[in-house]
């Protein structure tokens, strides 16, 4: 991921990240000097899934979440989706937010698989890993997650 910038919305804790030309919605709560926590939602979901946790975690942590590309209010990326491409995109989003410290990474379902991939790709950036009803790697990944990698045909009649 090369070019990234942050566009702040009217509120201080959420906005849009632009990573390689793709707009991605994020939320950033709590004290930015505190230990960071990254929350990654499941398939077909959004950062609102974590609504009950922001207020609980923010007093003691920097809490970051984002809509994965193609979900919530985030744009789709070009090419095939894979756990690696989504993990690298999340890492680029963290870089754009200036967060390079080891994180507590929490992932649900698809977000759990992305969290696992982040820990495999960048182990020094993961302080701890919490998986909630997580998807896994390989052929045991549910068909719904494997279908993410399929693009519809651009052909027409």
């Amino acid at each position: 991921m090369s070019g990234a910038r942050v566009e702040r919305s009217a509120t201080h804790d959420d906005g849009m990240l632009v990573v390689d030309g793709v707009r991605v919605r994020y939320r950033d709560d709590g004290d930015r000097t505190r230990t960071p926590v990254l929350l990654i939602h499941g398939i077909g979901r959004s950062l609102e899934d974590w609504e009950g946790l922001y207020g609980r975690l923010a007093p003691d942590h920097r809490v970051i979440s984002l809509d994965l590309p193609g979900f919530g209010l985030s744009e789709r990326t070009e090419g095939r989706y894979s756990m690696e491409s989504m993990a690298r995109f999340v890492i680029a989003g963290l870089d754009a937010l200036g967060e390079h410290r080891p994180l507590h990474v929490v992932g649900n379902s698809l977000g759990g698989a992305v969290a696992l991939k982040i820990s495999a790709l960048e182990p020094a950036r993961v302080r701890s890993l919490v998986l909630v009803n997580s998807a896994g790697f390989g052929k045991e990944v549910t068909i719904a997650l494997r279908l993410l990698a399929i693009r519809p045909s651009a052909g027409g009649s």
Side-chain angles (χ1 to χ4, degrees):
M1 303 289 156
S2 54
R5 69 180 189 276
V6 177
E7 296 176 1
R8 299 275 180 197
S9 71
T11 60
H12 68 70
D13 66 351
D14 66 352
M16 298 300 286
L17 287 173
V18 179
V19 180
D20 284 345
V22 177
R23 290 173 50 89
V24 179
R25 181 175 65 149
Y26 75 96
R27 180 167 174 171
D28 189 351
D29 284 359
D31 184 342
R32 285 164 176 74
T33 65
R34 300 281 191 153
T35 303
V37 175
L38 172 64
L39 305 173
I40 309 172
H41 66 78
I43 191 167
R45 308 298 301 176
S46 70
L47 58 81
E48 277 86 14
D49 282 0
W50 305 107
E51 195 61 45
L53 289 180
Y54 296 117
R56 292 180 177 164
L57 293 172
D60 299 314
H61 300 87
R62 178 183 188 183
V63 185
I64 300 168
S65 59
L66 52 82
D67 286 342
L68 291 170
F71 297 100
L73 298 179
S74 293
E75 295 177 340
R76 293 184 62 88
T77 57
E78 293 293 323
R80 293 182 56 147
Y81 278 40
S82 68
M83 292 307 124
E84 182 168 346
S85 70
M86 286 190 279
R88 289 193 186 284
F89 201 91
V90 170
I91 292 166
L94 291 169
D95 290 345
L97 289 170
E99 187 54 73
H100 304 283
R101 299 172 292 170
L103 309 121
H104 297 292
V105 181
V106 181
N108 175 48
S109 186
L110 168 65
V114 174
L116 282 166
K117 195 62 168 177
I118 290 170
S119 71
L121 293 170
E122 300 275 346
R125 293 186 79 162
V126 178
R127 177 180 285 221
S128 68
L129 191 59
V130 178
L131 305 176
V132 182
N133 199 25
S134 179
F137 290 115
K139 292 180 182 176
E140 69 276 4
V141 172
T142 179
I143 187 68
L145 296 180
R146 288 183 288 180
L147 288 174
L148 281 175
I150 299 173
R151 295 287 181 194
S153 173
S157 50

